[in-house]
Amino acid sequence: MTTGFLFADEMDLADQRVLLRLDINVPIKDGQVSDDTRIRRILPGLQALVAARAKIIILTHFGRPKGKVVAGLTVQPVADCMAKLLGQPVVVETDVIGAGGVAAMAALQSGDILMMENLRFYPEEEANDQGFAKKLAALGDVYVGDAFSCAHRAHASVDALPRLMPAAAGRSFAAELTALHAALAAPRRPLGAVVGGAKVSSKLALLENLVTKVDGLILGGGMANTFLLAQGIQIGASLAEPDMVDTARTIMAKADANGCRMILPTDLVVATAFAANAPHRVTDGSDIADHEMILDAGPQSVAAVTAFLGGCQTIVWNGPMGAFELKPFDAATNAVASAVARLTQDQQVMSVAGGGDTMAALANAGVNDHFSYVSAAGGAFLEWLEGKTLPGVDALQQR
Ligand code: AMP
């Protein structure tokens, strides 16, 4: 279990003014929320605060207004959607740090919800401005962070503010912390990681950290091509980063030195075009023609990966094993994801996935609900896997 944090669910917040930091960045179409998944995900925590009779002041950002008021980036549609889902008013206050905000806060009754207008309308938010944080702090008694997806941002409402007042982790933040802690900080071993995706360059820090932490690292996707290249395999027209070949060798050496087994595909699905249903064949990699490209791992690789993961107790997953948006090149991703889902359902492993396209890849495989935890926090999840200290997590840590 994670230590050093206060949890909102364990506190008596009756009549307390709670500054609740959420991430409510949902898609808007014609002035209305077009996908409310993210809002539904935070509802249980919000309902718990209402039931606890807290006075709730929601703080959030919305899109990238860059420190200016942008009419199209008001939080109003989100407040409307939230009000409808909750069956109670969610009033928006535009004068966040002025007299309007103070008056709205003073008028709050226990169980009421007030939503402050988009904090990024103020340049001080992204500047992590101390004075701005102090004005926000004056509006509440307790800070509850429930936006793990923003935890990698050193912004005023994420970083400076919680350091100024009693601060606790909200329900979904706590779930994320618990899952990540169980996956990387104190995992049951063996611990296996599946890392796929397009490029080595965007996952370099992650790979360098994981080889020091995991017992086995399975590489897939376009990223694995650069490692195959480093092993002297001719990869034809495959996506790869030839200038990262030396880096790939360094990562392999680091894995070796740390007792981390690297598992690369041993058979490959090569196609003649980057397109759905492009003509394709399976090869061991010895005869890839100049015009062919690797779009997926082959069945022998899937069997080896599945066998390795079957012996693990914890599995971390980021990125697809192949070009999963193009059928049938989603086969390896689907097969390995289904295997992890089965192991999870049989309670043989704890499985945590997240970052980038991972959610979409697991959804395509139909197993999104069958992992122990799937994180919706792209950047923050990746930075955690990179071993970085996230400002928004650090700020909640009790000292
Ligand atoms: P990332 O955002 O780094 O996780 O990368 C995900 C993207 O990598 C997806 O759009 C996949 O289609 C792409 N991808 C995975 N494998 C390959 C491959 N072998 N060749 C080209 N693109 C790939």
Side-chain angles (χ1 to χ4, degrees), residues 196-199 202-203 221-222 225 239 274 294-295 319-320 322-325 357:
K199 291 182 173 177
S202 61
K203 305 254 167 107
N225 298 343
L239 173 73
F274 188 76
I294 304 165
L295 291 187
F324 76 98
E325 300 95 333
D357 277 343

Side-chain angles (χ1 to χ4, degrees), residues 8-9 42 44-49 144-146 169-176:
D9 274 340
I42 51 181
L46 194 51
Q47 281 162 326
L49 286 173
V144 173
D146 216 8
R171 188 171 288 192
S172 61
F173 201 114
E176 192 99 26

Side-chain angles (χ1 to χ4, degrees), residues 68-117:
K68 286 202 277 295
V69 176
V70 175
L73 292 178
T74 170
V75 297
Q76 190 66 56
V78 183
D80 293 344
C81 175
M82 200 177 259
K84 204 183 279 176
L85 291 172
L86 284 171
Q88 80 173 78
V90 178
V91 176
V92 174
E93 174 55 51
T94 52
D95 189 16
V96 178
I97 49 168
V102 174
M105 174 271 287
L108 276 182
Q109 301 293 312
S110 297
D112 283 356
I113 304 176
L114 176 69
M115 188 183 288
M116 291 301 187
E117 185 51 285

